Each structure stands twice: as C-alpha cells, then as structure tokens.
Amino acid sequence: MTAALINVPRKARRGDIIEIKTLMSHVMEPGYRRTAAGDLLPRDIITSFGCRYNGEEIFRADFFPAIAANPFLSFFTVAKESGKFEFEWTGDNGFSETASSSITVE
Amino acid sequence: MNLLRAIAVATLLFAATPLLAADIPPNERRSGYSFMAEDTRTIQDDDTANPGMLWVFDGETLWNRKTGDAGKACADCHGDGRETMKGVAARYPAFDKSLGRPVDLEQRINLERTQRQGAPTLPYESRDLLALTAFIANQSRGVAISAGDDAQLKPFVEKGRELFTLREGQLNLACANCHDDNWDKHLAGSAITQAHPTGYPEYRLEWQTLGSLQRRLRSCMAGIRAQAYGYGAPELVELELYLMSRAKGMPIETPAVRP
C-alpha cells in the first residue's frame, strides 16, 4: 500500500535551490494515550528520517512523540547534478521504509 | 451579582432567538474550505502534501485487487475507476431499489462486496473502506453535487431536513442552530461553517486521520451531548442525503483537509 508521497522537481537548472517535500504514512502513536479500559497504548513512532542525494546525506531529522500522524517534511537543497534522491524512515517496532526520486539537472 | 445579571440577560437573549433562521441563500453558500486558514488550504491543494491522498492511492490498489469468494475485483466489472467512477460520489447517497431507501457510498461499496464479490462487509472507519470511498469520491473532484435529485428520494430528504432542524441532546441544539443561524460566527475560536459535505471522506487534523461524514455527524452529536445514531443508521444516511441536497451544485473536493 502507499507509504510515502514524495515531491521533487523532475528537472532543475544547475545551482537552483529546489524544495523537496515528503509525507510518510504513519500513525505516530505518542505512547501517552490510554484505551477506554485504561491500558497504555505503546509508543509507535518514526524516530529518524534521512535524505541522500547521489549517496551523500543532505538532510537528517529525529522525530519525537509530539509530531503529528503522517508526518510531512519540507526542506531545500541546491541542484548540483542529475541523479537520485533516496529517502529513509526508521522507527519503533522495526519500522523501515524507503523511497526514491530522480532529478535531471541541466 | 453582575455575573447573575449577565446570565439572566444571556438566558433572555437565547430564549428570544427565533427557533430557526431562514435557509442560507444559494449565493451565500460557502464550502468549509473558504473558512480555513491559508496553511490548511495549502495542504489540501497540494496532492503531495495532502495526507488524504494516501487513502486515495490505497483505494486504487484495492479497486484492482481481487477479493471474496467470487474472486472479483471492482475493476473486473467497473473497469478503470478513474474513468467510470467520475461523478458517482456527487450523486450519493442514492436510492437503492431493493432496499427501498437511500444508501451512502460506504453502504454501496459494502452491498457490492456482499452481493457481487462474496466478500465480508468492511466496518465504517476501517482503513480499507475509507480508502475505497476516498478513491471513488476523488474521481468526482470538481463535479457539482447533484444528490437528492431522484424523485424517489424526496421523503428521505425531508426526513433528513427534519433531523437537521430537530433540537436534541442536553444542550438542546439542532444542527441548524449552528450551521444555518450562526455559520458566520466562531465557537471556541473555530469557524462554525455551513456544514456542506463537499470533501468526504476528509482528513481532519484533529482526528489525525481520514474520516467519513458519519463520523463527523456523530462527533457533532456528541458535542451537543446527544446520543449519536450508530454507524449506518438510516437517520445518519438521511442526514447525509439532506446535507448533500443542501449543497447542490457545489463542487466535490475529496479528500478535503479540515482542522
């Protein structure tokens, strides 16, 4: 099923500042809520996100319980060369998702 | 003493308010979208930022997946949903001849599952039912709402209207007291809005997930401290039908994003 929505420009001119937008499907259960019966709902969150541009890490973020479900991130980088952006999310209960997107730089 | 006087004045004002103001004139009708902050509108407008799109894409996967004893997918009969489902959600709830009453889109999906696919029904608010509903409704994005046009639906639209104007719950409020009479005001800092169901299922930031119109109606009922009708209750479908007929001509936005 669909895990991530990624928005990277397909084309850019060399030196352009481009915006990268990612949205990952996740409940982000903070670990503080209780069920109607009073049992604690265990924490289940994404803990880390990283983005690589042709293998080089350009962005990394740690996530915490106060971050909303289906977390959306937007960040910027300089378009240096054609290639691939690789995204990786890891979290509680062995959560691990990856996605990628290519760009043509002219 | 001042407090008591204020309460007395407030009570008098409240009692003096006419039971119901008139319906909202067609040229003053506004989607909930126009009441939102720009940030929330930006999320809705961008399909790569709108979390509701996760359900839409999941729904497309389910549309093409074979299920049930019949081993059929929705697509086996209906083809490419992106083509064949255009405009369908704008007509729902629609009259079902065999049941003799209106069914909403969720109930239609479940009827198809049990009657044609030999698959179990999906509960309201389950991920799969929301996904299928969102996928189908998304194909009507921009299509004008026409639900309630069918002459057979007339008595049900009327029942829905009665429910909309019926005071109930410990706060003794009807839907109309907020959404017809006070839609230009705020309640606890939030815009009241005119209650046009243009974008369901919709992503509510408060819910942190996608939800159906019935979920929205049930939470309004809890808000006025009334006993909410159960999911799938005929009363909720009649309310959905009345609200859709009240929003006639307004474009579908699914998946909408709301606070």
Side-chain angles (χ1 to χ4, degrees):
Chain A
M1 299 293 239
T2 316
L5 302 179
I6 306 288
N7 187 350
V8 176
R10 300 243 298 263
K11 277 183 179 176
R13 277 177 305 176
R14 197 174 305 276
D16 274 0
I17 295 172
I18 54 166
E19 183 176 15
I20 297 168
K21 295 190 271 193
T22 67
L23 191 153
M24 170 49 66
S25 174
H26 200 283
V27 292
M28 295 297 283
E29 183 59 51
Y32 301 119
R33 301 197 305 164
R34 285 176 191 275
T35 65
D39 301 324
L40 201 64
L41 286 164
R43 192 185 92 160
D44 180 14
I45 64 166
I46 297 170
T47 49
S48 176
F49 167 79
C51 172
R52 287 173 184 279
Y53 184 9
N54 287 341
E56 185 195 349
E57 183 170 282
I58 57 160
F59 186 86
R60 172 159 293 282
D62 290 335
F63 283 40
F64 297 92
I67 290 174
N70 308 313
F72 173 78
L73 275 181
S74 157
F75 51 94
F76 296 84
T77 192
V78 177
K80 289 183 297 191
E81 60 204 0
S82 296
K84 204 165 153 192
F85 288 97
E86 290 167 292
F87 309 95
E88 186 180 18
W89 296 258
T90 53
D92 294 337
N93 306 314
F95 181 82
S96 175
E97 286 282 350
T98 56
S100 65
S101 187
S102 2
I103 187 168
T104 311
V105 176
E106 291 161 347
Chain B
M1 194 58 209
N2 274 342
L3 179 66
L4 278 178
R5 189 175 296 159
I7 291 171
V9 169
T11 313
L12 274 175
L13 280 177
F14 192 68
T17 311
L19 183 64
L20 287 173
D23 292 347
I24 301 164
N27 61 340
E28 282 181 34
R29 289 186 313 174
R30 287 165 55 189
S31 160
Y33 179 86
S34 71
F35 290 82
M36 292 191 306
E38 200 187 334
D39 291 346
T40 320
R41 288 189 223 170
T42 308
I43 302 175
Q44 177 173 323
D45 291 341
D46 180 352
D47 276 353
T48 57
N50 182 339
M53 291 308 291
L54 294 168
W55 279 261
V56 172
F57 292 130
D58 281 359
E60 185 166 24
T61 308
L62 292 171
W63 177 269
N64 293 306
R65 182 181 292 172
K66 293 185 190 304
T67 186
D69 296 336
K72 275 186 185 168
C74 308
D76 289 337
C77 293
H78 297 286
D80 182 357
R82 287 177 181 269
E83 296 295 327
T84 59
M85 289 297 112
K86 192 168 169 59
V88 170
R91 299 194 293 269
Y92 268 77
F95 190 78
D96 183 88
K97 279 203 172 61
S98 57
L99 294 173
R101 60 177 169 81
V103 293
D104 63 18
L105 200 51
E106 287 88 346
Q107 290 173 326
R108 168 56 60 206
I109 291 166
N110 273 329
L111 283 169
E112 298 285 307
R113 286 176 62 84
T114 50
Q115 294 174 357
R116 314 234 184 270
Q117 293 179 297
T121 58
L122 298 167
Y124 274 92
E125 311 313 301
S126 61
R127 175 117 191 157
D128 285 2
L129 186 57
L130 285 170
L132 278 166
T133 316
F135 170 66
I136 294 168
N138 181 242
Q139 308 315 317
S140 296
R141 188 143 69 171
V143 175
I145 293 173
S146 61
D149 280 355
D150 185 346
Q152 299 171 97
L153 287 172
K154 210 170 169 236
F156 300 97
V157 175
E158 203 42 51
K159 276 189 206 168
R161 187 188 160 83
E162 278 168 31
L163 287 166
F164 188 78
T165 53
L166 176 73
R167 284 182 182 269
E168 58 178 355
Q170 289 178 327
L171 300 188
N172 199 31
L173 287 169
C175 314
N177 292 122
C178 287
H179 299 292
D180 273 350
D181 300 351
N182 289 297
W183 58 262
D184 51 350
K185 299 188 181 69
H186 285 75
L187 185 64
S190 301
I192 288 174
T193 82
Q194 299 179 346
H196 296 302
T198 48
Y200 286 91
E202 74 181 18
Y203 194 91
R204 294 201 72 219
L205 301 176
E206 178 196 334
W207 292 339
Q208 298 272 291
T209 182
L210 205 74
S212 69
L213 177 53
Q214 293 209 1
R215 179 172 181 184
R216 174 67 268 192
L217 293 174
R218 282 166 50 86
S219 38
C220 258
M221 285 173 190
I224 59 166
R225 298 179 204 160
Q227 178 72 49
Y229 302 107
Y231 278 110
E235 289 87 350
L236 285 179
V237 179
E238 286 155 14
L239 262 175
E240 288 183 88
L241 176 62
Y242 171 64
L243 290 176
M244 286 291 276
S245 71
R246 186 170 163 272
K248 190 182 161 83
M250 299 175 81
I252 295 274
E253 297 167 36
T254 307
V257 178
R258 296 288 184 269

